[in-house]
Amino acid sequence: DSQFTIVETGATAICDGWPTLLRKKKWLVMLTIAVCCYLLALPCLTHAGIYHVQLIDSYAGTYPLIIVAIMECIGISYLYGLRRFCKDIAMMCGYQPNYYWQANWAFITPALLTFVLIFS
């Protein structure tokens, strides 16, 4: 399920970037993404495949992921603005997120992720 949503999100972002050119050819964008993912996964099928998987798991799924999550929280809360973000959510959903979510985005999640990053 998660792989489908990641590919769909990427394809939608690409098609939204060039709507006049790619909107009607979304199947071609999806095919291109699928072929690229297939070609990128081929090295994992060789005899050294487990080594490649361990490298990807060790370096792509730990510190960089936590750092990206911290930057996303900081970017949404402080650079873009928490009030503006909540107004955007209210425009899309019809209601504003309560203070619990706002506190999580602005303070709790960045603090916990920084704690995990420092002590891991």
Side-chain angles (χ1 to χ4, degrees):
D1 289 337
S2 63
Q3 186 65 33
F4 173 77
T5 56
I6 291 170
V7 171
E8 185 67 31
T9 301
T12 302
I14 291 169
C15 289
D16 286 348
W18 297 277
T20 56
L21 183 65
L22 297 175
R23 183 71 47 100
K24 294 187 181 193
K25 297 180 183 178
K26 189 173 181 179
W27 66 272
L28 186 60
V29 174
M30 294 292 282
L31 180 66
T32 304
I33 291 173
V35 168
C36 288
C37 289
Y38 174 78
L39 292 174
L40 289 171
L42 279 179
C44 296
L45 299 175
T46 63
H47 289 292
I50 192 65
Y51 178 69
H52 294 295
V53 171
Q54 286 175 344
L55 279 174
I56 293 168
D57 187 45
S58 295
Y59 293 106
T62 53
Y63 296 114
L65 194 58
I66 293 174
I67 291 169
V68 166
I70 292 170
M71 292 298 121
E72 284 181 356
C73 289
I74 290 171
I76 288 173
S77 299
Y78 300 106
L79 298 178
Y80 184 70
L82 192 59
R83 287 186 184 145
R84 188 186 314 172
F85 184 65
C86 290
K87 286 180 184 178
D88 290 344
I89 291 175
M91 181 187 64
M92 291 184 280
C93 297
Y95 58 91
Q96 258 191 335
N98 59 21
Y99 291 114
Y100 168 78
W101 291 108
Q102 294 178 30
N104 270 312
W105 292 326
F107 307 111
I108 298 169
T109 302
L112 287 175
L113 288 174
T114 304
F115 178 81
V116 169
L117 184 65
I118 292 170
F119 292 105
S120 65

